[in-house]
Amino acid sequence: MKTAPMAAAPAPATNVSPLIPTLAGRILEMARREGLPKGYRLTEQALCDVLGVSRSPVRKALQFLESTGAVTSSPNRGFQLAMEARELAGVAVSEAVPSLEDLYLRVAHDHIGGLLEQEVTEADLMARYGLARQQVQRLLNRMSRDGLVDRKPGRGWMFRRLLSSVEAHRESYRFRMMLEPAAILEPGYAVDLAELERCRREQQDLLDGGIEQCTPAQLFQAGSHFHETVAAGCGNRFVLDALRNVNQMRRIVEYGTRLDRSRLHRQCEEHLQLIELLVRGERMEAAQFMRQHLNMARITKVGENS
């Protein structure tokens, strides 16, 4: 007698957060490690306690596993294992963990887009993004170091003001056009030549192939390092603090901008020209060139407007 062919497992769910397959993989690993039998009931609360996340991402992970055929569900009993522990090794789920940088950008862009309130808690972020508490804490600590969020007295975090509009981004360039050239012309200006040499190497490395290989964060950092090194030469702490504050606010907008490789090559070449002018002590020429450089960046990135 012929047996009916085994039904194929449903295709894994698509359009899910990359964090959900990660949690699904951890659930399978636990079931294999503990030798759980087919039909074992997987309760959301027990998994929350083990995985250190809230109910929402656990439920999504179980639904994802149901789409792979590893888990089944019924109205009265919730989710149960659909396979013996030894069979779970053949279930394929992607366990790629998104980088801290990916999470950082996603949270910041969701805030700018109005999807996250001005004030958030660790529990809010755990539930929304399917993160463990430790991941959220690392993320918030990184954002705090970059000046994007502040810890509130008591519990919770608050986003600082970001450049969330084209007009604000344009104003940041106008401000820098006033600030950075003037810093170069300050009496007693003396740029740190050793630090400037490090900037030169960074810019040359970018031209030698780094532009195509670096992440947006690395590209932004190299540009900020150069501009902050130049501004620091005036010896006025308020100038440097002001520039750093603007850079922190524009970081997210810059990260999310589609990279124009030809523009970045030109930008690096102009940075090297500015370094040469400063090394030769030609401050008037360097100040004029800096203003032109920033003005061209403003027009390229945010458009012409006075």
Side-chain angles (χ1 to χ4, degrees), residues 201-217:
R201 290 197 298 270
E202 285 179 349
Q203 298 300 312
Q204 191 60 58
D205 287 345
L206 290 177
L207 286 173
D208 291 341
I211 288 174
E212 285 71 29
Q213 299 172 4
C214 289
T215 66

Side-chain angles (χ1 to χ4, degrees), residues 266-283:
R266 184 172 63 250
Q267 176 179 288
C268 291
E269 290 167 353
E270 290 181 0
H271 286 169
L272 290 174
Q273 291 178 55
L274 276 161
I275 290 171
E276 285 300 320
L277 290 172
L278 290 171
V279 168
R280 293 201 302 263
E282 299 176 11
R283 290 198 289 143

Side-chain angles (χ1 to χ4, degrees), residues 9-303:
T14 58
N15 297 324
V16 297
S17 162
L19 299 166
I20 299 307
T22 300
L23 289 178
R26 292 172 63 188
I27 293 171
L28 292 184
E29 180 184 358
M30 178 200 70
R32 290 195 298 266
R33 184 176 63 248
E34 297 184 9
L36 300 180
K38 180 178 178 179
Y40 183 89
R41 188 180 177 198
L42 298 167
T43 65
E44 291 180 10
Q45 187 56 57
L47 291 172
C48 288
D49 295 339
V50 171
L51 299 174
V53 297
S54 62
R55 279 180 174 270
S56 177
V58 165
R59 186 177 303 116
K60 291 177 182 177
L62 288 169
Q63 291 167 346
F64 178 86
L65 285 174
E66 186 173 22
S67 73
T68 70
V71 163
T72 188
S73 67
S74 60
N76 297 323
R77 298 196 67 233
F79 292 94
Q80 308 96 42
L81 284 174
M83 303 178 181
E84 299 292 342
R86 64 180 181 276
E87 298 174 301
L88 295 175
V91 178
V93 295
S94 169
E95 296 188 42
V97 180
S99 69
L100 183 62
E101 194 69 31
D102 292 336
L103 294 172
Y104 181 110
L105 291 176
R106 185 176 176 194
V107 169
H109 286 152
D110 282 355
H111 171 60
I112 290 174
L115 301 177
L116 282 177
E117 299 294 332
Q118 191 72 17
E119 299 181 16
V120 294
T121 65
E122 292 180 6
D124 292 336
L125 298 179
M126 289 167 61
R128 180 177 180 84
Y129 299 103
L131 299 172
R133 186 172 298 278
Q134 188 177 29
Q135 289 174 297
V136 169
Q137 290 171 343
R138 285 201 302 267
L139 173 65
L140 289 170
N141 287 333
R142 160 75 187 281
M143 298 183 87
S144 177
R145 289 196 301 272
D146 285 347
L148 298 182
V149 296
D150 290 313
R151 187 189 292 274
K152 293 177 58 185
R155 64 190 289 270
W157 296 76
M158 178 176 290
F159 282 96
R160 289 190 182 182
R161 185 168 59 90
L162 303 177
L163 300 183
S164 55
S165 71
V166 171
E167 186 58 35
H169 200 199
R170 182 180 291 118
E171 287 176 1
S172 76
Y173 273 98
R174 298 294 305 180
F175 175 72
R176 292 176 63 200
M177 287 168 63
M178 292 186 282
L179 184 73
E180 295 184 53
I184 296 172
L185 297 177
E186 274 293 282
Y189 180 89
V191 68
D192 184 332
L193 293 177
E195 199 64 34
L196 199 62
E197 179 57 31
R198 280 191 279 274
C199 291
R200 186 205 299 274
R201 290 197 298 270
E202 285 179 349
Q203 298 300 312
Q204 191 60 58
D205 287 345
L206 290 177
L207 286 173
D208 291 341
I211 288 174
E212 285 71 29
Q213 299 172 4
C214 289
T215 66
Q218 292 168 326
L219 293 168
F220 182 86
Q221 182 56 40
S224 296
H225 180 213
F226 166 73
H227 283 277
E228 290 172 12
T229 296
V230 172
C234 73
N236 187 320
R237 72 190 69 184
F238 297 103
V239 169
L240 185 57
D241 285 348
L243 180 57
R244 284 175 173 165
N245 186 49
V246 170
N247 282 339
Q248 287 168 351
M249 288 192 293
R250 52 183 274 269
R251 180 188 304 270
I252 299 304
V253 178
E254 297 283 348
Y255 280 11
T257 302
R258 184 177 179 275
L259 293 180
D260 179 346
R261 302 293 175 178
S262 62
R263 179 186 62 77
L264 290 175
H265 279 87
R266 184 172 63 250
Q267 176 179 288
C268 291
E269 290 167 353
E270 290 181 0
H271 286 169
L272 290 174
Q273 291 178 55
L274 276 161
I275 290 171
E276 285 300 320
L277 290 172
L278 290 171
V279 168
R280 293 201 302 263
E282 299 176 11
R283 290 198 289 143
M284 183 62 72
E285 293 80 359
Q288 292 174 348
F289 194 98
M290 177 65 83
R291 182 177 176 80
Q292 294 169 4
H293 170 73
L294 291 170
N295 192 44
M296 183 56 65
R298 176 182 66 88
I299 293 170
T300 300
K301 293 179 182 179
V302 296

